[in-house]
Amino acid sequence: MRKDIKILVVDDFSTMRRIIKNLLRDLGLTNVEEADDGQTALPILKRGDIEFLITDWNMPGMTGIELLKAVREDPALAQIPVLMVTAEAKKEQIIAAAQAGVNGYVVKPFTAAVLKEKIDKIFERLG
Amino acid sequence: MVSGPDARNGLSRFEEELQQHAESLVTAIKSGNLAEAMDLIHLLHEFRHKTFFTEVGHLTRGLHEAIKAFSAEMGGALEGGQESIPSDVDAAERLNYVIDLSEKTAHETMDRVDNALSLVDQLDAQSARFKDLLSLVGQLEAEHEGLRGVYDRTCALKEESEKTIDSLRTQLTDIVVSQSYQDISGQLIRRVITLVSNVETHLISLMDMAAKVQRLSGISTDTEKSGQSGKSDPIQAEGPQIRKESADIVSGQDEVDDLLSSLGF
């Protein structure tokens, strides 16, 4: 995994954005941008330099699942790996995220080890 | 709440009325006066209707007061802290304040953890410099009999201390991750805010509707006036008081106790 990979973290709670940023920093990943919902995330993604998206589900404005679908529908963005980090824990929600093309799904509250493991796994699969 | 005693009055009045009219009804039927009997049945029916309607009104108001009281208590609990919130805010705003406050505190905690982590980095750097010094001791050991074994023992100690630094780092990272409670609790509080707002909106429309139906159907004109409305206005329940500076409102439990004891309680 390249350490300078550009990552976008989307969550409406600044606490959670900071936690994820801290854990990414522990993995040596420091090129991180933030957005507080899907609506603010999309323009950043459309700029074209984001290589990995970590998003919450339940956000005002545009939710994470809507953002995921928008990303997969846009040919320019469709290839970006997406990790969902969310408190939504219903089976049908996880299935819906999988069907929408999510690359990983972490349920809050999570441990540092779990988040790191899921991120590693996504990058392993991407090769 | 206000609905308690009033509701009991309403019900006991209903029972009295029922008994009286039931007796008149039996008398009317026995004496063959069917027209009067029908009138009485109609009267009873209407009276039952009014009573139940008033009951629902009381319950609605009680629920509304409970929500207002909840909102005020939330505020009271917070005002003990360093920062007090403006007192004339509703339940949703108070709950939003809880979210903001916990967010701020979570960030302050993480600021301190960040500071601690940079101290841990310093420890790491110091350990590296220590390693350089240690290799010097290793070289000297061969020349000085008294230094024999010192290098090995110091190396073991240094490794131990590096392990300690590692677990310190893990602990600090766990503190950061545990701040996610703020997100989880914030999401739950947002749901409660939606619930409280919905319930309150529906209650208000229910009370509005009740008032309109009351006016249209002419219910309460005589019973309310004779019973309670004249005196109930100044003491009508409003829930815990938020504006405490007003002269006609007590400032705390002490003042309540004083007032009660002055009244002979």
Short mmCIF file of all heavy atoms in Angstrom, two decimals, chain B residues 82-143:
data_model
loop_
_atom_site.label_atom_id
_atom_site.label_comp_id
_atom_site.label_asym_id
_atom_site.label_seq_id
_atom_site.Cartn_x
_atom_site.Cartn_y
_atom_site.Cartn_z
N GLN B 82 -19.94 24.05 34.64
CA GLN B 82 -19.27 25.34 34.53
C GLN B 82 -20.03 26.30 33.62
O GLN B 82 -20.18 27.47 33.92
CB GLN B 82 -17.87 25.14 33.97
CG GLN B 82 -16.92 24.55 35.00
CD GLN B 82 -15.53 24.43 34.46
OE1 GLN B 82 -15.34 24.15 33.27
NE2 GLN B 82 -14.55 24.61 35.32
N GLU B 83 -20.49 25.75 32.49
CA GLU B 83 -21.21 26.63 31.56
C GLU B 83 -22.69 26.33 31.70
O GLU B 83 -23.10 25.20 31.62
CB GLU B 83 -20.78 26.32 30.12
CG GLU B 83 -19.30 26.46 29.91
CD GLU B 83 -18.85 25.64 28.72
OE1 GLU B 83 -19.39 25.85 27.63
OE2 GLU B 83 -17.99 24.79 28.90
N SER B 84 -23.48 27.37 31.91
CA SER B 84 -24.91 27.11 31.94
C SER B 84 -25.47 27.50 30.59
O SER B 84 -24.95 28.36 29.89
CB SER B 84 -25.57 27.91 33.05
OG SER B 84 -25.46 29.28 32.77
N ILE B 85 -26.55 26.80 30.23
CA ILE B 85 -27.14 27.10 28.93
C ILE B 85 -28.26 28.10 29.11
O ILE B 85 -28.83 28.20 30.19
CB ILE B 85 -27.67 25.82 28.25
CG1 ILE B 85 -28.46 24.97 29.25
CG2 ILE B 85 -26.55 25.03 27.66
CD1 ILE B 85 -29.09 23.77 28.61
N PRO B 86 -28.55 28.85 28.06
CA PRO B 86 -29.64 29.80 28.15
C PRO B 86 -30.90 29.08 28.62
O PRO B 86 -31.16 27.96 28.17
CB PRO B 86 -29.81 30.29 26.71
CG PRO B 86 -28.54 29.97 26.02
CD PRO B 86 -27.95 28.80 26.73
N SER B 87 -31.68 29.70 29.52
CA SER B 87 -32.77 28.96 30.14
C SER B 87 -34.03 28.89 29.29
O SER B 87 -34.87 28.03 29.50
CB SER B 87 -33.09 29.56 31.50
OG SER B 87 -33.30 30.94 31.34
N ASP B 88 -34.16 29.76 28.30
CA ASP B 88 -35.41 29.74 27.55
C ASP B 88 -35.30 28.94 26.26
O ASP B 88 -35.63 29.41 25.19
CB ASP B 88 -35.89 31.17 27.26
CG ASP B 88 -34.80 31.97 26.57
OD1 ASP B 88 -33.65 31.54 26.60
OD2 ASP B 88 -35.13 33.03 26.00
N VAL B 89 -34.77 27.71 26.37
CA VAL B 89 -34.67 26.88 25.18
C VAL B 89 -35.52 25.62 25.36
O VAL B 89 -35.83 25.25 26.48
CB VAL B 89 -33.21 26.47 24.90
CG1 VAL B 89 -32.38 27.68 24.57
CG2 VAL B 89 -32.62 25.72 26.07
N ASP B 90 -35.92 25.01 24.25
CA ASP B 90 -36.79 23.85 24.36
C ASP B 90 -35.99 22.55 24.46
O ASP B 90 -34.76 22.54 24.46
CB ASP B 90 -37.79 23.82 23.20
CG ASP B 90 -37.09 23.60 21.87
OD1 ASP B 90 -35.91 23.21 21.89
OD2 ASP B 90 -37.73 23.80 20.84
N ALA B 91 -36.75 21.44 24.57
CA ALA B 91 -36.11 20.14 24.79
C ALA B 91 -35.10 19.81 23.69
O ALA B 91 -33.98 19.36 23.99
CB ALA B 91 -37.19 19.05 24.83
N ALA B 92 -35.47 20.06 22.45
CA ALA B 92 -34.58 19.71 21.34
C ALA B 92 -33.27 20.48 21.43
O ALA B 92 -32.19 19.92 21.24
CB ALA B 92 -35.28 19.99 20.02
N GLU B 93 -33.37 21.76 21.78
CA GLU B 93 -32.15 22.57 21.87
C GLU B 93 -31.25 22.09 23.00
O GLU B 93 -30.02 22.09 22.87
CB GLU B 93 -32.51 24.04 22.08
CG GLU B 93 -32.90 24.74 20.79
CD GLU B 93 -33.35 26.16 21.05
OE1 GLU B 93 -32.47 27.03 21.15
OE2 GLU B 93 -34.56 26.38 21.17
N ARG B 94 -31.88 21.68 24.11
CA ARG B 94 -31.09 21.19 25.24
C ARG B 94 -30.35 19.92 24.86
O ARG B 94 -29.19 19.73 25.21
CB ARG B 94 -31.99 20.93 26.45
CG ARG B 94 -32.47 22.21 27.09
CD ARG B 94 -33.45 21.93 28.20
NE ARG B 94 -34.18 23.11 28.58
CZ ARG B 94 -33.72 24.05 29.38
NH1 ARG B 94 -32.51 23.96 29.87
NH2 ARG B 94 -34.46 25.09 29.67
N LEU B 95 -31.07 19.05 24.14
CA LEU B 95 -30.43 17.80 23.74
C LEU B 95 -29.31 18.07 22.74
O LEU B 95 -28.26 17.43 22.78
CB LEU B 95 -31.47 16.84 23.15
CG LEU B 95 -32.46 16.29 24.18
CD1 LEU B 95 -33.60 15.55 23.52
CD2 LEU B 95 -31.75 15.36 25.17
N ASN B 96 -29.52 19.04 21.85
CA ASN B 96 -28.46 19.41 20.93
C ASN B 96 -27.24 19.93 21.68
O ASN B 96 -26.11 19.70 21.29
CB ASN B 96 -28.95 20.48 19.95
CG ASN B 96 -29.53 19.85 18.70
OD1 ASN B 96 -28.98 18.89 18.18
ND2 ASN B 96 -30.65 20.37 18.24
N TYR B 97 -27.53 20.64 22.77
CA TYR B 97 -26.45 21.15 23.60
C TYR B 97 -25.62 20.00 24.18
O TYR B 97 -24.40 20.07 24.24
CB TYR B 97 -27.03 22.02 24.72
CG TYR B 97 -25.99 22.49 25.71
CD1 TYR B 97 -25.17 23.57 25.42
CD2 TYR B 97 -25.84 21.84 26.93
CE1 TYR B 97 -24.21 23.98 26.32
CE2 TYR B 97 -24.88 22.24 27.84
CZ TYR B 97 -24.07 23.32 27.53
OH TYR B 97 -23.12 23.72 28.42
N VAL B 98 -26.32 18.91 24.58
CA VAL B 98 -25.62 17.74 25.10
C VAL B 98 -24.68 17.19 24.04
O VAL B 98 -23.51 16.85 24.32
CB VAL B 98 -26.62 16.64 25.54
CG1 VAL B 98 -25.88 15.38 25.97
CG2 VAL B 98 -27.50 17.14 26.68
N ILE B 99 -25.16 17.13 22.81
CA ILE B 99 -24.31 16.63 21.71
C ILE B 99 -23.09 17.53 21.54
O ILE B 99 -21.95 17.05 21.47
CB ILE B 99 -25.11 16.56 20.39
CG1 ILE B 99 -26.24 15.53 20.52
CG2 ILE B 99 -24.19 16.17 19.23
CD1 ILE B 99 -27.09 15.40 19.27
N ASP B 100 -23.33 18.85 21.51
CA ASP B 100 -22.22 19.79 21.32
C ASP B 100 -21.20 19.68 22.45
O ASP B 100 -19.99 19.67 22.21
CB ASP B 100 -22.74 21.23 21.27
CG ASP B 100 -23.51 21.50 19.99
OD1 ASP B 100 -23.39 20.68 19.05
OD2 ASP B 100 -24.23 22.52 19.93
N LEU B 101 -21.73 19.57 23.69
CA LEU B 101 -20.84 19.52 24.85
C LEU B 101 -19.98 18.26 24.82
O LEU B 101 -18.77 18.30 25.05
CB LEU B 101 -21.67 19.57 26.13
CG LEU B 101 -20.89 19.72 27.42
CD1 LEU B 101 -20.23 21.08 27.47
CD2 LEU B 101 -21.79 19.54 28.63
N SER B 102 -20.62 17.12 24.51
CA SER B 102 -19.85 15.86 24.50
C SER B 102 -18.86 15.87 23.34
O SER B 102 -17.77 15.31 23.44
CB SER B 102 -20.79 14.65 24.44
OG SER B 102 -21.52 14.64 23.25
N GLU B 103 -19.22 16.53 22.25
CA GLU B 103 -18.29 16.63 21.12
C GLU B 103 -17.06 17.43 21.52
O GLU B 103 -15.92 17.03 21.28
CB GLU B 103 -18.99 17.29 19.92
CG GLU B 103 -18.12 17.36 18.69
CD GLU B 103 -18.80 18.05 17.52
OE1 GLU B 103 -19.68 18.91 17.75
OE2 GLU B 103 -18.44 17.76 16.38
N LYS B 104 -17.30 18.56 22.19
CA LYS B 104 -16.22 19.42 22.62
C LYS B 104 -15.29 18.66 23.58
O LYS B 104 -14.06 18.71 23.46
CB LYS B 104 -16.82 20.65 23.31
CG LYS B 104 -15.85 21.74 23.64
CD LYS B 104 -16.62 23.02 24.03
CE LYS B 104 -15.79 23.91 24.92
NZ LYS B 104 -15.94 23.65 26.36
N THR B 105 -15.92 17.94 24.54
CA THR B 105 -15.13 17.21 25.52
C THR B 105 -14.32 16.10 24.87
O THR B 105 -13.16 15.86 25.22
CB THR B 105 -16.06 16.62 26.60
OG1 THR B 105 -17.01 17.61 26.96
CG2 THR B 105 -15.30 16.20 27.82
N ALA B 106 -14.94 15.42 23.90
CA ALA B 106 -14.24 14.34 23.20
C ALA B 106 -13.00 14.91 22.50
O ALA B 106 -11.92 14.31 22.55
CB ALA B 106 -15.17 13.67 22.20
N HIS B 107 -13.16 16.09 21.88
CA HIS B 107 -12.01 16.69 21.19
C HIS B 107 -10.93 17.11 22.17
O HIS B 107 -9.74 16.96 21.89
CB HIS B 107 -12.46 17.88 20.35
CG HIS B 107 -12.98 17.47 19.00
ND1 HIS B 107 -12.17 16.98 18.01
CD2 HIS B 107 -14.23 17.42 18.50
CE1 HIS B 107 -12.89 16.67 16.95
NE2 HIS B 107 -14.16 16.93 17.22
N GLU B 108 -11.35 17.62 23.33
CA GLU B 108 -10.35 18.01 24.35
C GLU B 108 -9.56 16.78 24.81
O GLU B 108 -8.34 16.84 24.99
CB GLU B 108 -11.04 18.69 25.53
CG GLU B 108 -11.38 20.14 25.22
CD GLU B 108 -12.31 20.76 26.26
OE1 GLU B 108 -12.65 20.08 27.25
OE2 GLU B 108 -12.70 21.92 26.05
N THR B 109 -10.30 15.67 25.00
CA THR B 109 -9.62 14.42 25.40
C THR B 109 -8.61 14.02 24.33
O THR B 109 -7.46 13.67 24.63
CB THR B 109 -10.66 13.30 25.60
OG1 THR B 109 -11.62 13.74 26.55
CG2 THR B 109 -10.00 12.03 26.08
N MET B 110 -9.05 14.10 23.07
CA MET B 110 -8.16 13.68 21.98
C MET B 110 -6.96 14.63 21.83
O MET B 110 -5.88 14.19 21.45
CB MET B 110 -8.95 13.53 20.69
CG MET B 110 -9.87 12.31 20.74
SD MET B 110 -10.60 11.87 19.14
CE MET B 110 -11.84 13.13 19.00
N ASP B 111 -7.18 15.93 22.13
CA ASP B 111 -6.05 16.86 22.11
C ASP B 111 -4.98 16.39 23.09
O ASP B 111 -3.78 16.39 22.78
CB ASP B 111 -6.50 18.27 22.55
CG ASP B 111 -7.31 18.98 21.47
OD1 ASP B 111 -7.24 18.53 20.31
OD2 ASP B 111 -8.01 19.96 21.80
N ARG B 112 -5.44 16.00 24.30
CA ARG B 112 -4.48 15.58 25.32
C ARG B 112 -3.79 14.28 24.93
O ARG B 112 -2.60 14.10 25.16
CB ARG B 112 -5.19 15.44 26.67
CG ARG B 112 -5.59 16.80 27.17
CD ARG B 112 -6.19 16.81 28.56
NE ARG B 112 -6.55 18.19 28.87
CZ ARG B 112 -7.79 18.62 29.01
NH1 ARG B 112 -8.79 17.78 28.93
NH2 ARG B 112 -8.02 19.88 29.27
N VAL B 113 -4.57 13.38 24.32
CA VAL B 113 -3.97 12.12 23.86
C VAL B 113 -2.92 12.41 22.79
O VAL B 113 -1.84 11.81 22.79
CB VAL B 113 -5.05 11.15 23.35
CG1 VAL B 113 -4.41 9.94 22.69
CG2 VAL B 113 -5.95 10.69 24.49
N ASP B 114 -3.24 13.36 21.90
CA ASP B 114 -2.27 13.72 20.86
C ASP B 114 -0.97 14.24 21.50
O ASP B 114 0.13 13.87 21.07
CB ASP B 114 -2.85 14.78 19.92
CG ASP B 114 -3.72 14.16 18.84
OD1 ASP B 114 -3.63 12.93 18.64
OD2 ASP B 114 -4.48 14.90 18.20
N ASN B 115 -1.12 15.09 22.52
CA ASN B 115 0.06 15.60 23.23
C ASN B 115 0.84 14.45 23.85
O ASN B 115 2.07 14.39 23.75
CB ASN B 115 -0.35 16.56 24.35
CG ASN B 115 -0.87 17.88 23.79
OD1 ASN B 115 -0.60 18.19 22.63
ND2 ASN B 115 -1.61 18.62 24.60
N ALA B 116 0.09 13.52 24.48
CA ALA B 116 0.74 12.38 25.12
C ALA B 116 1.47 11.52 24.09
O ALA B 116 2.58 11.05 24.33
CB ALA B 116 -0.29 11.55 25.87
N LEU B 117 0.84 11.36 22.91
CA LEU B 117 1.48 10.54 21.87
C LEU B 117 2.78 11.18 21.37
O LEU B 117 3.74 10.48 21.07
CB LEU B 117 0.51 10.33 20.70
CG LEU B 117 -0.51 9.20 20.88
CD1 LEU B 117 -1.59 9.26 19.82
CD2 LEU B 117 0.16 7.83 20.88
N SER B 118 2.81 12.52 21.34
CA SER B 118 4.06 13.13 20.88
C SER B 118 5.14 12.99 21.96
O SER B 118 6.33 12.91 21.64
CB SER B 118 3.84 14.59 20.45
OG SER B 118 3.53 15.38 21.55
N LEU B 119 4.71 12.93 23.24
CA LEU B 119 5.69 12.65 24.31
C LEU B 119 6.23 11.23 24.17
O LEU B 119 7.42 10.97 24.39
CB LEU B 119 5.03 12.82 25.69
CG LEU B 119 4.67 14.26 26.08
CD1 LEU B 119 3.93 14.27 27.42
CD2 LEU B 119 5.93 15.11 26.17
N VAL B 120 5.35 10.31 23.77
CA VAL B 120 5.78 8.92 23.56
C VAL B 120 6.79 8.87 22.42
O VAL B 120 7.80 8.14 22.50
CB VAL B 120 4.56 8.01 23.27
CG1 VAL B 120 5.00 6.64 22.81
CG2 VAL B 120 3.69 7.89 24.50
N ASP B 121 6.55 9.68 21.37
CA ASP B 121 7.51 9.74 20.26
C ASP B 121 8.87 10.23 20.76
O ASP B 121 9.91 9.74 20.34
CB ASP B 121 6.99 10.69 19.16
CG ASP B 121 5.87 10.04 18.36
OD1 ASP B 121 5.73 8.80 18.42
OD2 ASP B 121 5.13 10.78 17.68
N GLN B 122 8.83 11.21 21.68
CA GLN B 122 10.08 11.71 22.26
C GLN B 122 10.82 10.60 23.01
O GLN B 122 12.04 10.46 22.90
CB GLN B 122 9.81 12.86 23.23
CG GLN B 122 9.61 14.20 22.53
CD GLN B 122 9.39 15.30 23.57
OE1 GLN B 122 10.03 15.31 24.62
NE2 GLN B 122 8.50 16.21 23.25
N LEU B 123 10.04 9.81 23.76
CA LEU B 123 10.63 8.69 24.49
C LEU B 123 11.31 7.74 23.52
O LEU B 123 12.41 7.24 23.79
CB LEU B 123 9.55 7.93 25.27
CG LEU B 123 9.09 8.50 26.60
CD1 LEU B 123 7.95 7.66 27.16
CD2 LEU B 123 10.25 8.53 27.59
N ASP B 124 10.65 7.50 22.40
CA ASP B 124 11.21 6.62 21.37
C ASP B 124 12.54 7.16 20.85
O ASP B 124 13.52 6.42 20.72
CB ASP B 124 10.21 6.54 20.20
CG ASP B 124 9.63 5.15 20.06
OD1 ASP B 124 10.08 4.26 20.81
OD2 ASP B 124 8.75 4.96 19.22
N ALA B 125 12.55 8.47 20.59
CA ALA B 125 13.78 9.10 20.07
C ALA B 125 14.89 9.03 21.10
O ALA B 125 16.06 8.76 20.76
CB ALA B 125 13.48 10.56 19.70
N GLN B 126 14.52 9.25 22.37
CA GLN B 126 15.52 9.18 23.45
C GLN B 126 16.09 7.77 23.55
O GLN B 126 17.28 7.57 23.79
CB GLN B 126 14.88 9.61 24.77
CG GLN B 126 14.71 11.12 24.86
CD GLN B 126 13.68 11.53 25.90
OE1 GLN B 126 13.10 10.68 26.58
NE2 GLN B 126 13.43 12.82 26.02
N SER B 127 15.22 6.80 23.33
CA SER B 127 15.64 5.41 23.41
C SER B 127 16.68 5.11 22.33
O SER B 127 17.64 4.36 22.55
CB SER B 127 14.41 4.52 23.26
OG SER B 127 14.77 3.18 23.37
N ALA B 128 16.48 5.72 21.15
CA ALA B 128 17.43 5.50 20.05
C ALA B 128 18.80 6.09 20.40
O ALA B 128 19.84 5.49 20.14
CB ALA B 128 16.89 6.13 18.77
N ARG B 129 18.77 7.29 21.03
CA ARG B 129 20.04 7.91 21.43
C ARG B 129 20.73 7.09 22.52
O ARG B 129 21.94 6.94 22.55
CB ARG B 129 19.79 9.34 21.93
CG ARG B 129 19.81 10.36 20.79
CD ARG B 129 19.12 11.64 21.17
NE ARG B 129 19.63 12.25 22.38
CZ ARG B 129 18.90 13.04 23.17
NH1 ARG B 129 17.65 13.32 22.85
NH2 ARG B 129 19.42 13.56 24.25
N PHE B 130 19.91 6.52 23.37
CA PHE B 130 20.40 5.67 24.45
C PHE B 130 21.15 4.47 23.88
O PHE B 130 22.19 4.06 24.40
CB PHE B 130 19.19 5.22 25.28
CG PHE B 130 19.54 4.49 26.52
CD1 PHE B 130 20.40 5.04 27.47
CD2 PHE B 130 18.99 3.24 26.78
CE1 PHE B 130 20.71 4.36 28.62
CE2 PHE B 130 19.31 2.56 27.94
CZ PHE B 130 20.16 3.11 28.86
N LYS B 131 20.63 3.97 22.77
CA LYS B 131 21.24 2.82 22.11
C LYS B 131 22.69 3.14 21.67
O LYS B 131 23.59 2.33 21.83
CB LYS B 131 20.40 2.46 20.90
CG LYS B 131 20.59 1.05 20.38
CD LYS B 131 19.59 0.79 19.26
CE LYS B 131 19.92 -0.49 18.51
NZ LYS B 131 19.02 -0.67 17.37
N ASP B 132 22.87 4.37 21.16
CA ASP B 132 24.21 4.79 20.74
C ASP B 132 25.18 4.80 21.92
O ASP B 132 26.30 4.29 21.82
CB ASP B 132 24.17 6.20 20.12
CG ASP B 132 23.35 6.23 18.85
OD1 ASP B 132 23.18 5.14 18.25
OD2 ASP B 132 22.88 7.32 18.46
N LEU B 133 24.70 5.39 23.03
CA LEU B 133 25.54 5.45 24.24
C LEU B 133 25.89 4.04 24.72
O LEU B 133 27.01 3.79 25.17
CB LEU B 133 24.80 6.19 25.36
CG LEU B 133 24.82 7.72 25.29
CD1 LEU B 133 23.92 8.30 26.37
CD2 LEU B 133 26.26 8.23 25.45
N LEU B 134 24.92 3.17 24.58
CA LEU B 134 25.08 1.81 25.08
C LEU B 134 26.17 1.06 24.33
O LEU B 134 26.95 0.31 24.93
CB LEU B 134 23.73 1.10 24.93
CG LEU B 134 23.48 -0.10 25.83
CD1 LEU B 134 23.69 0.28 27.29
CD2 LEU B 134 22.06 -0.60 25.64
N SER B 135 26.24 1.31 23.04
CA SER B 135 27.27 0.59 22.26
C SER B 135 28.67 1.05 22.70
O SER B 135 29.63 0.28 22.65
CB SER B 135 27.05 0.81 20.76
OG SER B 135 27.20 2.17 20.46
N LEU B 136 28.75 2.30 23.17
CA LEU B 136 30.01 2.81 23.71
C LEU B 136 30.40 2.02 24.97
O LEU B 136 31.55 1.61 25.12
CB LEU B 136 29.83 4.30 24.05
CG LEU B 136 31.10 5.12 24.28
CD1 LEU B 136 31.89 5.22 22.97
CD2 LEU B 136 30.73 6.53 24.76
N VAL B 137 29.38 1.76 25.83
CA VAL B 137 29.62 0.96 27.05
C VAL B 137 30.09 -0.43 26.65
O VAL B 137 31.01 -1.00 27.26
CB VAL B 137 28.32 0.87 27.91
CG1 VAL B 137 28.53 -0.07 29.10
CG2 VAL B 137 27.90 2.25 28.39
N GLY B 138 29.51 -0.95 25.58
CA GLY B 138 29.89 -2.28 25.08
C GLY B 138 31.37 -2.34 24.75
O GLY B 138 32.05 -3.33 25.07
N GLN B 139 31.84 -1.26 24.11
CA GLN B 139 33.25 -1.21 23.73
C GLN B 139 34.17 -1.12 24.96
O GLN B 139 35.21 -1.78 25.02
CB GLN B 139 33.52 -0.02 22.81
CG GLN B 139 33.03 -0.26 21.37
CD GLN B 139 32.94 1.03 20.58
OE1 GLN B 139 33.51 2.04 20.96
NE2 GLN B 139 32.21 0.98 19.47
N LEU B 140 33.72 -0.30 25.94
CA LEU B 140 34.54 -0.09 27.14
C LEU B 140 34.59 -1.32 28.04
O LEU B 140 35.53 -1.51 28.80
CB LEU B 140 34.00 1.10 27.94
CG LEU B 140 34.22 2.48 27.30
CD1 LEU B 140 33.46 3.55 28.09
CD2 LEU B 140 35.71 2.83 27.25
N GLU B 141 33.53 -2.14 27.93
CA GLU B 141 33.40 -3.29 28.82
C GLU B 141 34.62 -4.21 28.75
O GLU B 141 35.07 -4.74 29.77
CB GLU B 141 32.13 -4.07 28.44
CG GLU B 141 31.55 -4.88 29.58
CD GLU B 141 30.30 -5.64 29.14
OE1 GLU B 141 30.32 -6.26 28.06
OE2 GLU B 141 29.30 -5.59 29.88
N ALA B 142 35.13 -4.36 27.53
CA ALA B 142 36.27 -5.24 27.33
C ALA B 142 37.50 -4.74 28.10
O ALA B 142 38.30 -5.53 28.59
CB ALA B 142 36.59 -5.35 25.84
N GLU B 143 37.60 -3.40 28.23
CA GLU B 143 38.79 -2.82 28.85
C GLU B 143 38.68 -2.73 30.37
O GLU B 143 39.68 -2.66 31.07
CB GLU B 143 39.04 -1.40 28.28
CG GLU B 143 39.30 -1.41 26.78
CD GLU B 143 39.16 -0.02 26.16
OE1 GLU B 143 39.42 0.98 26.88
OE2 GLU B 143 38.78 0.06 24.98
#
